[in-house]
Structures are given as C-alpha cells and as structure tokens.
Amino acid sequence: MSIPSDLPRKEREKLLRRQAILDAASRIFAQKGFERATLDEIAEAAEFGKGTIYNYFSSKEELFFTLLEEGRQYFQELIQQALNRAETGHKKIERYIDVCFEFFRTHENHFKIFSIEVHQPMNHFYGDIQQRLQTNIEESIQFLADILRQAMQSGEIVESDAKRLARALLGLIYSQICEVITCTQENFDDSAKMVKHIFLHGVLRRDASPPPARCS
C-alpha cells in the first residue's frame, strides 16, 4: 500500500503500522493457515506487542478478512485498469487471465491463503465473517461472469451459462498457478498463455479424423 506523503506524520506512522501488521499476517497465515496462526505470532513477526494489533483489528477473524478483502480490492483495481485498455470481449478475457497470473506471482502469500482457506469448507469461520467471505467469493465469480456474458453478447464466444463458465475458467487458472508455485520447471508466462489457448481456442483439432467406431 502506498502511503500519501502529504499526510501528517502521525497519520503516516499509523498507516505504516497497520500495513506492517497486514504484511506479517500475510506471512503467518500463508505458513500456518488460519486455525493454527495466532495473534502472538503475528505480533512478533510485525515486531509489535499484541495490544497494538487490537488497536487496528478487533480479532484474528477480522484481521484475516481484512487481509483478503484488501487484496481482492487491489486485484479488482488492476483488473479494471486492464479491461479499460481492452476493446473486445476476447481481449478482456485475455487481460483478466494475465492479471490473475501477475497478481499471484507478486502476491504468493495471498494465493496460498486463498488456496488453503477459500477452497475448502469454511467451518472454522462463523457468523458475519463467513457470510462476508462467501459474498466476496460470489462477487468475484459474478464479476468474471459479466465479462464472459459481454463476450457472448458480442458473438465472440459461444453461448453458455456465464457463472458456470466463470467457475471453470477460475478453476483452470487456479490449478495452473498451483502448478507454477510447486514446480520450478513451470513459469507464470507460459502457464498464462496455455490457459488462454485452452479456454479461448480449445484443444481439439478441427481437422482431426474421428476415431473408428468399435463393434460391440
């Protein structure tokens, strides 16, 4: 997060402390997961007392949610900037894929948290936090579905259930990012190109002959 230089010194210091807590939380949650991570560990990683954390966040749940929510907002800003430079639905889909890979390349801890916590039943979250997380997930899916729906309306991609197609594309992106992170022989650029090729062009050769029919 960029701290405006024209703010009073105390305000800048306050924002810097808050960001230091979020950065430390990102590392600890990525390493240990939400349930095993403690505020004591986060405070130690941020080099603050635990009481300082409570000056900014009411609970571990609130700290965790804020980390994900601010990451999502930043990601959405990057997406919107990329979409503004894309003239067609086809290009918007490509830009979306590119931003996903670039964002998680530079925010690997965020991806690990997202992988551990969001892609499993959220039974350790409860009440308002669980509802807010679910709402954020649905909003992200709907955002991509709207991009795909626009491409359908312009005739650039085939008509389909936009939300299901969005989930399928996100699943493909997610699996490839996991592969890059866990396999040193893969890289983000090649994986992004492959996702774009598979999703937008498919893998079936149009000139391929059908297999011979088998006799039953």
Side-chain angles (χ1 to χ4, degrees):
M1 180 182 70
S2 177
I3 307 297
S5 59
D6 58 345
L7 288 176
R9 180 178 60 82
K10 288 187 177 180
E11 286 298 317
R12 292 200 309 272
E13 291 175 350
K14 185 176 180 181
L15 289 174
L16 286 169
R17 284 195 296 271
R18 182 180 186 276
Q19 189 59 47
I21 292 169
L22 288 171
D23 291 343
S26 176
R27 297 193 299 272
I28 299 301
F29 284 135
Q31 292 169 8
K32 308 193 74 171
F34 174 81
E35 286 193 291
R36 293 196 300 122
T38 68
L39 288 180
D40 288 311
E41 291 170 318
I42 294 170
E44 182 179 357
E47 299 183 341
F48 294 131
K50 188 164 72 170
T52 301
I53 294 180
Y54 284 114
N55 290 334
Y56 296 87
F57 306 99
S58 62
S59 63
K60 184 173 78 167
E61 289 83 0
E62 186 64 25
L63 174 56
F64 179 83
F65 174 80
T66 301
L67 186 65
L68 285 184
E69 172 61 8
E70 293 192 1
R72 186 184 75 91
Q73 289 176 355
Y74 178 59
F75 172 76
Q76 292 294 105
E77 290 173 6
L78 295 177
I79 288 288
Q80 197 58 61
Q81 292 171 11
L83 296 184
N84 291 339
R85 299 191 298 269
E87 297 180 355
T88 66
H90 179 277
K91 286 297 182 183
K92 287 181 179 181
I93 295 169
E94 287 190 333
R95 295 290 181 272
Y96 185 95
I97 294 169
D98 286 336
V99 172
C100 282
F101 277 88
E102 179 59 22
F103 177 80
F104 287 120
R105 183 183 70 80
T106 56
H107 297 77
E108 188 173 318
N109 282 338
H110 192 88
F111 180 76
K112 288 178 179 178
I113 295 167
F114 190 80
S115 302
I116 294 169
E117 307 297 347
V118 178
H119 282 85
Q120 68 177 0
M122 292 183 285
N123 51 17
H124 50 268
F125 297 113
Y126 54 88
D128 182 53
I129 295 294
Q130 183 178 34
Q131 182 59 47
R132 289 159 74 184
L133 286 171
Q134 291 284 13
T135 298
N136 279 0
I137 293 169
E138 288 303 314
E139 287 178 353
S140 297
I141 292 169
Q142 187 60 56
F143 183 85
L144 177 55
D146 289 340
I147 297 172
L148 298 173
R149 197 173 289 110
Q150 292 171 17
M152 292 176 197
Q153 292 170 351
S154 63
E156 294 176 76
I157 63 174
V158 297
E159 289 287 338
S160 182
D161 184 313
K163 288 190 73 171
R164 288 194 178 197
L165 198 59
R167 292 180 188 275
L169 176 53
L170 289 172
L172 184 58
I173 292 170
Y174 168 77
S175 66
Q176 287 304 304
I177 293 175
C178 283
E179 185 72 15
V180 174
I181 289 175
T182 57
C183 180
T184 56
Q185 295 179 340
E186 300 291 338
N187 68 70
F188 281 90
D189 290 339
D190 287 345
S191 293
K193 289 177 183 177
M194 190 186 75
V195 169
K196 286 185 281 188
H197 178 78
I198 291 174
F199 187 79
L200 293 168
H201 303 289
V203 294
L204 181 66
R205 286 181 50 184
R206 301 298 184 267
D207 61 344
S209 301
R214 290 188 176 184
C215 297
S216 56

